Amino acid sequence: MKRFISLLLSLFLLSVLVPQVAQAQFGSFGIGDIQNVQVDNLSEQELLNFYRQMQAQGFTIQEVGNIARARGMPASQVSRLTARLNQISTGRDTDSQDRRSLSRTGEDTMLQFDTSLRPLEEELLISELRRLVDERDEEDLIRQLDLILEEGFPVFGAKLFAGSSLSFEPSMNIPTPIDYIFGTDDEVRIDIWGAAEAEYRLIVDPDGNIRIPNIGPVRIGGLKYDDAKERILTNLKRIYSGLNLSEPERGNTFADVSLGNVRSINVSMIGEVRQPGSYTVSSLASVFNMLYAAGGPSRSGTWRGIQIIRGDSVVTEFDLYDLIVHANQRDNIRLKDQDIIRIPPYMNRVRLNGEVKRPGIYEMKDGETLSDLVEFSGGFSEEAYTDRIVLHRKTNIQRSISDVAWPEGGSIEMRNGDEIEIKRILDRYENRVRIEGAVYREGDFELTEGMTLTDLLEKAEGVKPEAYQERGIIFRSQDNLMLESIAFSVRDIVEGNAEDILLKKDDLIRISSLFDLQETFTINVSGAVNNTGRFEYLDGMTLEDAIYLAKGLRDEAAAYRVEVARRVVDEDTRVKVNQIAEVFQFEIDSNFSFRDRDSEFKLQPFDRVFVRTKPNYQRQLTVRIEGEVQFPGEYVLERRDARLTDLIEQAGGLSQYAYPKGASMLRVLEVTSEEVEREDFQHRSNVLAALNLENVNLDRFETINDTTFTPVGIRLDDAIGDPRGLNDLRLQEGDVIRIPRQFQTVRVEGGVLSPVTMRYVPGRGLQSYINSAGGTTDRGQKHRAYIVYANGEVDRVRRFLRIRNNPSVEPGATIIVPEKPASEQMSPQETIALTSAILNTTILLFTVIDRLNRD
């Protein structure tokens, strides 16, 4: 029994302790050891865990970057870390959807599609992608690919309805069609001018009549436009005697009849249509107008036999291919009220892929042939191989494949499910040779019967003077497709002293230049010149030429110290020697002339020319002083060893309101990211540690014009009291010294209940200020509290023999209480799963032990 109780107790402790251990090890790094992290090696989950920990502790991404920089992380790593954290914060690193989707990342577009697609369907997809990309229509690309992934590859013509809308309104800015039939609610406009003037706007009533004043009803319902116009004008002549219908120009009164606002009709869309239903449209609407309004045929609908039903009979069948391919609108009739448009299922569908102008899926009528299909596709492309067209066909039992020659096989009738593939011509030449190198006309040439190497050289207009005459090479493919090289003497071939070589198909002739066979000679000019760099060596080049190519000397150049370093080349290359370079020194006067004949010193390949800088030359170094001095602003250091007190003196001394104990200094930590990349990061880390920057408040880091400043603790009052002493620091370029007024407040922040700025009370201790901020939080670490003084110095709580020694508080100080890292709680499901695994393992272990004891 005791053993069983001990087992349960062990299991309980494991279930409690293991989650805590797992929780502690959940993240592989934290803010405390961030400087040791290689950002590129972090997984997405590790970075996400760190981001959550950072948020729980109240840090921003900028503050994390400052922490990493202050702890010595290289600038390149800091940049990568903040970039990846920004991606997480903006939601760009969230999990992708686990489905077929179009994933767009930056300038890249990746299509994830079902891997079960057959090769022909993949070719169709690639063809469609190529077409859309060539058209540069990004929105259409996204829409079409989404449709492909949702419904499959579109039937030819589907793009016509890609932008269709339910709000269909036909254009009214057209003349009245001569075959238009008037009906109820149509508006008739009658304009009369000349000896008499009048204007009528009349509506056709349900009986088909319009009522003309002083004439009465005139029936025009069911009449075509020309017939209705003639009837109206005949009736108008009864009251307008000046109208002459047979010869209008002989009358003195004129009249015109036109259609005003048209009536609405109701048309129904049924069958395999994308948006079936009843539509109220203008009486001017045609069959195609209605198809466009309804989104066109659905995936399973026909494009070739769309039926228009009027009453009890089919008045016509509309073939969309007639309109799309031949621009034939013969069957695109105008609709009438209560017409029905029915789209039956498709007839025969055929896939056409490869080198045609419009690859895709086509619907074919019974009896239509391969020639019709090629016509629908716009014809072959310029790369099409038509001697063999591959026809895949499904029989009643299995598949079959046929080779079809063009145009002989154009009469083959297409069947439902046929797949036709048009291959590309071979990417090779049947009569090509190529010459390259030191000839006047490089490139491809026609290989004629009996053509020799001499003939090719004549076509290439001969060899150049710099051609290497002793050897040329012909690269030739053998019958087993292995390459062989055939060497020849260029001089002997040109002069006719060697047997000519008969060329073969795909021969490549290469004639090298003398310059191709030797190393490129250069010289290098560096130091105090206007254009440092590497220059091509020229035969006979002198030292004066090199200085000229470098665009002369700069102001700081020590003209009396110009050096040329030359390689030592020993003819006996089998023995190593100690001397590896020979150095020559020269002088140049102010007029850019050399002493004696130094300017004529001949350079050799790979010489390096150095123009030294004057020992005492120094560009102006500037610093800045702000705050309570007589003349704040920017100053130039007068001496190399200028100190704080020297700058105070240059600025006219402190003002009467200055608070020297609170003076602070900012020093340039890094100027540009490029310079940081070249720094010794280990040395930089040691410098930061020496400055105690790990404990500096991150808010005090400042970045101005891509230059990062870090605070440096100074004691200005001690420096003024002891000039040139230990506290009178030497200044560096870019330093910023700030002299504040007398501080009267103290700031408490970090792990306290209410971060606050409060009044400074002399003699009040650190614990009293923390209590005034509400005390520490559950995560606040009071024993690790530290103070950042106004001058940038830092002091912390110390303990000796369990006796706490708190630092003193001064005006302008900031008390910071660090917080423990936020622990991540395991979910109930994780806890249950872990406990269950431990229980199962323990039971199995004790079962094995019990059986062993029995044995």
Side-chain angles (χ1 to χ4, degrees), residues 697-729:
N697 183 4
L698 295 173
D699 292 336
R700 295 173 179 262
F701 279 89
E702 294 188 21
T703 301
I704 303 174
N705 295 331
D706 199 30
T707 301
T708 302
F709 295 88
T710 182
V712 178
I714 62 174
R715 297 182 180 180
L716 184 60
D717 51 345
D718 294 343
I720 294 175
D722 183 20
R724 305 287 169 179
L726 182 63
N727 293 309
D728 195 6
L729 299 182

Side-chain angles (χ1 to χ4, degrees), residues 298-317:
S298 67
R299 179 70 180 174
S300 58
T302 182
W303 293 67
R304 310 295 307 279
I306 300 171
Q307 299 174 350
I308 293 85
I309 303 173
R310 185 168 295 161
D312 296 330
S313 61
V314 177
V315 295
T316 188
E317 286 193 357

